[in-house]
Amino acid sequence: MDKKLSPFNVTSLVFGFTFLYLPIVLLVIYSFNASRLVTVWAGFSTHWYGELLRNQQLLDAAWVTLRVAFLTACFATVLGTLAAITLTRYGRFLGRTMFSGMIYAPLVMPDVITGLSLLLLFVAVNFDRGFWTITLAHITFTMCFVCVVVQSRLVTFDRSLEEAALDLGCPPFKTFFVITLPIILPAVVSGWMLAFTLSLDDLVIASFTTGPGATTLPMRIYSQVRLGVTPEINAVCTILIGIVTVVVIAASVITKRQEVERQKAERLAAAG
Amino acid sequence: MGAKAKGRWLVVAIPYLWLLALFLVPFLIVFKISLSQDAIAQPPYFPTFDLAEGWAVFKENFSELSFENYGYVLSWDNEFIEAYVSSLVIAGISTFLLLLVGYPMAYAMARAPKSIRPTLLMLVILPFWTSFLIRVYAWIGILSPEGLLNQLLFALGLIDNPLQILATDTAVYIGIVYSYLPFMILPLYSTLEKMDETLLEAAADLGCPPLAAFWKITWPLSLPGVFAGCLLCFIPAVGEFVIPDLLGGSDTLMIGKVLWTEFSVNRSWTVSSAVAVLLLLVLVVPIVLYQNVQQRELEGR
């Protein structure tokens, strides 16, 4: 059934992917440049990676970023999943329109508005700004992304499985953990990962909601980038790209394997 | 209330209250501050929402509200209106360019052999997972006067003097198109992939040339994806701050950048709040449209 791509389609794919990947590839190549000048190639060297390990400020920022992202992803996954259940299962309830509005609005809201409004909230309630304010802000905007991801899985969910469990006397809470959660797990996991990377990536909201003592990696990179391009920053970026690539590929392999297993189990169940 | 109803109630209440406290209330505060005078809204800023002091104080605060800041932002001798307009223009042009670049890619992906589609999809999503800041930063090295693009053009003998691309609006367009491309491709791909190809075969059997078939069948059927993709790119592009700051020049005016400057350099919280409220008003129509598209997409399945 597979047809060959027309030359036009091949061309647009080649150009498109070159456009998407060339800048990243160049950045990685130049992180191994021996020269301090970013644009002149002076031979291969891992000098800048060594520099990086001695840069305490960058390491501290990376540590803050990872902790924020981890906490954010965990809380946002729980809140986002609850919100997704609410939106797909609860039909009409008082304030539903407002609830779905509050879920979809942060997805597209410009970061500057979200950041400014959260900062003003933290100031108004006199909350010390720093690590925790960044985390709260990140949970708030990432839970909406988690919700959309989980929701798209829940709408295609076969509810008869849950009903069967309930009919057989399984309490609702247990039904959720035994039946529902395992089935929507791939979506929950990708929601977690999405929240994690969105938090790692965020510059604007973190800059607004931070206080003394909490600088995230994007904030540190940003302040250095404005002073000029350096091979050291290229090296940080390369490491980040490497980590993300490995994690994403691993995750997709795992979900694919799970999917295959699930289909196999379903076929067996149908045959049996 | 039984245990079951209580559990049900909790599932709604937790995310609902969270969003009320950390999404809606902050907006009300922004709105409130945008209506205050600078003296009381400048840091150190005292909470005006002190409920402990009771309703009377709240009412008193309420009577002090003024629209002065809006008058200031909307007066002609300020750069704000210009910044709003230029943000909308830049976001509009970028969205159009995104459609031009993204549509052929999404189309080719949807027509690719089924076996390689997941890989192609993965290749589109992968850059989205890498830091947005890094991707914008990568372009600085390419576009700068002594950058790789100029070196290449020079080596090919196409130019004698380096082109000034960095610090112009062109660089901002390149940056936005580059960073937002996955947001455009994914909704387009999902509508094009769902399309029933027998319609095209029928058209071909009836003697319709491929280009006309595209225009009369594929394009109209892909409109929901076009619409979703354009909104998904246009709305955040209007408020974009990092890209114009890093790639744009001093004369690139975008409202996100202006808001940030007003807030962090001029330290006027009232004016930046008013700018934010007005930016939101500009975006209300696209956001509501987006929400409807999203709702239909999820419920229509």
Side-chain angles (χ1 to χ4, degrees), chain A residues 160-186:
Chain A
S160 58
L161 291 168
E162 281 178 351
E163 281 157 15
L166 290 169
D167 284 348
L168 294 169
C170 185
F173 196 65
K174 195 176 170 194
T175 306
F176 176 78
F177 281 100
V178 177
I179 309 283
T180 319
L181 192 59
I183 296 179
I184 60 167
L185 198 62

Side-chain angles (χ1 to χ4, degrees), chain A:
Chain A
M1 274 228 291
D2 277 359
K3 279 178 295 182
K4 278 226 154 137
L5 276 173
S6 70
F8 174 79
N9 285 346
V10 172
T11 320
S12 47
L13 282 181
V14 169
F15 270 106
F17 283 117
T18 311
F19 176 61
L20 275 179
Y21 283 93
L22 195 62
I24 299 177
V25 171
L26 288 173
L27 189 135
V28 172
I29 292 174
Y30 275 86
S31 75
F32 293 105
N33 192 357
S35 159
R36 168 150 272 284
L37 288 169
V38 185
T39 47
V40 182
W41 182 256
F44 180 86
S45 149
T46 51
H47 173 73
W48 302 108
Y49 288 86
E51 278 302 279
L52 210 60
L53 288 175
R54 286 186 288 277
N55 189 334
Q56 197 54 43
Q57 282 187 323
L58 268 179
L59 295 177
D60 288 345
W63 182 230
V64 170
T65 312
L66 283 175
R67 282 187 301 157
V68 169
F70 182 78
L71 283 173
T72 297
C74 296
F75 280 98
T77 305
V78 174
L79 288 167
T81 308
L82 289 178
I85 293 171
T86 304
L87 282 180
T88 40
R89 296 291 168 79
Y90 280 39
R92 304 261 143 231
F93 61 88
L94 194 68
R96 189 199 154 94
T97 314
M98 188 156 90
F99 185 68
S100 71
M102 288 194 299
I103 288 288
Y104 292 117
L107 299 180
V108 280
M109 193 69 73
D111 290 349
V112 277
I113 300 186
T114 315
L116 180 72
S117 65
L118 281 162
L119 167 70
L120 296 178
L121 170 80
F122 294 137
V123 173
V125 297
N126 219 348
F127 198 91
D128 271 344
R129 273 169 287 139
F131 181 84
W132 288 105
T133 44
I134 301 180
T135 311
L136 283 176
H138 280 186
I139 294 171
T140 308
F141 88 94
T142 54
M143 68 174 272
C144 303
F145 286 87
V146 176
C147 174
V148 171
V149 172
V150 176
Q151 196 186 3
S152 66
R153 180 89 188 190
L154 276 173
V155 285
T156 58
F157 187 94
D158 182 4
R159 292 203 66 180
S160 58
L161 291 168
E162 281 178 351
E163 281 157 15
L166 290 169
D167 284 348
L168 294 169
C170 185
F173 196 65
K174 195 176 170 194
T175 306
F176 176 78
F177 281 100
V178 177
I179 309 283
T180 319
L181 192 59
I183 296 179
I184 60 167
L185 198 62
V188 174
V189 171
S190 49
W192 190 95
M193 283 176 40
L194 185 59
F196 188 80
T197 40
L198 283 170
S199 169
L200 278 189
D201 201 19
D202 169 64
L203 165 73
V204 179
I205 293 174
S207 306
F208 269 106
T209 53
T210 190
T215 307
T216 63
L217 194 55
M219 288 161 67
R220 181 67 64 196
I221 294 176
Y222 188 63
S223 62
Q224 288 196 11
V225 164
R226 298 188 76 183
L227 300 174
V229 179
T230 70
E232 207 176 355
I233 294 295
N234 280 353
V236 184
C237 295
T238 303
I239 293 175
L240 285 176
I241 291 169
I243 295 172
V244 168
T245 311
V246 169
V247 169
V248 172
I249 290 175
S252 77
V253 168
I254 292 168
T255 43
K256 203 167 188 184
R257 200 170 292 167
Q258 275 177 344
E259 189 72 7
V260 172
E261 289 288 314
R262 198 177 60 84
Q263 280 171 359
K264 212 189 280 171
E266 270 174 15
R267 264 201 307 275
L268 277 176

Side-chain angles (χ1 to χ4, degrees), chain B residues 214-226:
Chain B
F214 170 80
W215 194 240
K216 286 197 174 126
I217 298 168
T218 313
W219 173 254
L221 282 175
S222 67
L223 277 179
V226 171

